[in-house]
Amino acid sequence: MNRNLYSIVVLLLSIFYVGCQTKRNDDTTTTEAEKPSVATLSKNTFTLGDTLQIQLREPILAASISLGANPIRIIQQTDSTLSIRATSLKTGLHPLIVAGKLRNKTEISDTLSVELWSDFRPVALTYSVLKQFPHQAESFTQGLEFYQGNLYESTGLNGQSKLMQVDLTTGAIKKSVPLASQYFGEGITIFREKIYQLTWTSGVCFRYNMDFSLDKTFTYHTQGWGLTHTDSTLILSDGTNRLFFLTPDFRRKGELAVYDNLGPVMNLNELEYVNGYVFANVWQTNRIVQIDVTTGKVVGELSMEAILPKTIDTKANVLNGIAYRADENAFYVTGKNWPTLFKIQLRNQPKQPVALR
């Protein structure tokens, strides 16, 4: 399955999930088909802060509503509607539970589903190009990482995938280890003196020691695209609008759905975590998005049009590869088979601070 088809399938499954309403629990023995839900929604997609009007098939007494695990205040109630405000910390899909009693004393609990988009328009981030470095044009870049001043890179394509340490000033490969031909290399990150390298569709992550000797392998049940980490947690992208939070031993801790004000941001690819944000390449675009990891909102975005190489087909050899050096407060970006690695520095940031996850 190619990347576009994979993303479309995941999005269609999400839409199917949103459109479905799960079964209603009551204290009768009547089947679900015989007793339709009391509460319904005319649509399922909203922006955070919107007013939601829930239609009622019959009045509900002592009604209560929760969005996920959080109780929601009813701002208006009639025999035929309940109105609430879409308040949630996070974007994405949420269960909306409507409970109470009917006039015949029957207890009901209807579970609906809502999809919440970001209420924040991303800030257009500007940047300065500080320097350019040579980059191996044969490198199909999938991951880029700085560690203790050294540059590491992961490349893709079956039979050509490698993990490499690269000389920044010359672009020469200082050290490399190939992947077996059945593996298509993807994102990397270096965490607690170990190098993690994803594969695209094999569901295998390789963990290396710093001398490039293989330490351990892990399996996962999504595609592997980008990889980064916080102080305690690995963060993986799978080409959808989701980020997955993992332990160092690749056990899943949680996930986050990423949205801007226009909806889900699909094709999240190469990742870099910086001070409470994840910066992500958006595959097949010249856009890097800045994601608040506490909410899933895209708060900033960079257009990289100005640095696209003129000598190659950037529709095929797309922007991919983003690394951050904290000691320089600078990002290094490149693309698949690009001849150049760019050192850039942001000129502006969203004004609101973001708490660490």
Side-chain angles (χ1 to χ4, degrees):
M1 183 182 295
N2 66 36
R3 287 189 163 186
N4 278 327
L5 182 57
Y6 172 75
S7 297
I8 291 168
V9 168
V10 172
L11 182 58
L12 288 175
L13 288 173
S14 297
I15 292 170
F16 175 78
Y17 171 77
V18 173
C20 291
Q21 296 176 345
T22 58
K23 61 178 149 183
R24 178 171 64 89
N25 299 316
D26 57 37
D27 58 1
T28 70
T29 58
T30 310
T31 65
E32 182 181 350
E34 293 171 330
K35 284 205 171 181
S37 296
V38 173
T40 59
L41 288 166
S42 60
K43 65 174 187 174
N44 300 94
T45 301
F46 302 90
T47 296
L48 286 166
D50 281 354
T51 297
L52 283 64
Q53 190 171 83
I54 302 164
Q55 287 78 43
L56 302 178
R57 183 169 51 83
E58 54 184 295
I60 298 178
L61 307 177
S64 64
I65 299 177
S66 59
L67 188 63
N70 302 314
I72 298 292
R73 184 175 70 88
I74 298 171
I75 58 178
Q76 186 176 11
Q77 179 172 359
T78 69
D79 285 350
S80 60
T81 62
L82 296 170
S83 296
I84 63 170
R85 194 86 65 199
T87 56
S88 171
L89 178 63
K90 293 183 179 180
T91 57
L93 300 169
H94 299 274
L96 182 68
I97 302 168
V98 182
K101 290 185 178 181
L102 305 181
R103 283 175 175 163
N104 64 4
K105 307 303 182 185
T106 299
E107 293 187 356
I108 65 105
S109 179
D110 286 348
T111 302
L112 314 177
S113 295
V114 294
E115 182 182 29
L116 300 180
W117 293 8
S118 174
D119 57 351
F120 189 85
R121 185 187 298 275
V123 173
L125 302 177
T126 58
Y127 58 91
S128 300
V129 177
L130 303 181
K131 198 168 184 179
Q132 299 182 28
F133 298 92
H135 179 255
Q136 294 277 344
E138 296 78 23
S139 292
F140 195 77
T141 305
Q142 297 293 90
L144 204 63
E145 180 93 346
F146 272 103
Y147 184 71
Q148 296 183 351
N150 295 311
L151 179 62
Y152 296 82
E153 185 171 351
S154 171
T155 64
L157 300 177
N158 294 95
Q160 300 181 41
S161 297
K162 299 183 184 70
L163 170 66
M164 307 183 298
Q165 184 180 349
V166 179
D167 185 284
L168 174 62
T169 57
T170 66
I173 299 170
K174 298 171 69 174
K175 182 166 53 175
S176 72
V177 59
L179 272 65
S181 60
Q182 69 264 35
Y183 296 113
F184 189 116
E186 285 282 349
I188 58 169
T189 198
I190 302 176
F191 183 49
R192 297 179 180 174
E193 295 287 316
K194 303 290 183 182
I195 307 169
Y196 292 77
Q197 183 182 31
L198 297 178
T199 56
W200 178 20
T201 56
S202 302
V204 177
C205 176
F206 297 101
R207 189 171 76 182
Y208 304 88
N209 299 306
M210 293 309 299
D211 63 1
F212 283 24
S213 61
L214 184 63
D215 173 59
K216 198 170 183 179
T217 61
F218 304 102
T219 59
Y220 49 95
H221 302 290
T222 66
Q223 290 192 4
W225 288 41
L227 192 64
T228 188
H229 70 274
T230 69
D231 290 341
S232 62
T233 304
L234 296 169
I235 305 175
L236 177 148
S237 66
D238 71 342
T240 65
N241 70 319
R242 296 175 297 170
L243 297 177
F244 297 92
F245 298 91
L246 309 169
T247 68
D249 290 326
F250 253 67
R251 294 190 303 273
R252 189 178 294 187
K253 296 172 64 175
E255 64 180 77
L256 184 70
V258 178
Y259 286 74
D260 62 16
N261 58 308
L262 301 177
V265 179
M266 304 298 293
N267 293 324
L268 297 177
N269 200 3
E270 210 323 58
L271 307 177
E272 187 76 353
Y273 176 83
V274 182
N275 298 328
Y277 300 98
V278 166
F279 288 80
N281 288 128
V282 180
W283 183 57
Q284 289 192 319
T285 77
N286 300 314
R287 181 187 185 204
I288 294 173
V289 294
Q290 182 182 17
I291 303 160
D292 176 347
V293 296
T294 63
T295 65
K297 298 179 185 181
V298 173
V299 296
E301 58 185 359
L302 295 92
S303 171
M304 309 309 296
E305 293 283 343
I307 68 168
L308 298 181
K310 303 296 189 292
T311 57
I312 62 171
D313 179 6
T314 52
K315 290 185 178 179
N317 300 302
V318 298
L319 176 77
N320 200 44
I322 177 170
Y324 179 72
R325 284 192 66 164
D327 59 328
E328 298 178 337
N329 188 29
F331 289 90
Y332 290 74
V333 297
T334 191
K336 302 174 190 289
N337 303 124
W338 283 21
T340 309
L341 176 72
F342 296 88
K343 177 181 179 180
I344 68 171
Q345 192 167 58
L346 300 187
R347 295 176 186 155
N348 63 324
Q349 289 277 348
K351 295 180 181 179
Q352 300 257 341
V354 177
L356 294 176
R357 185 181 179 87

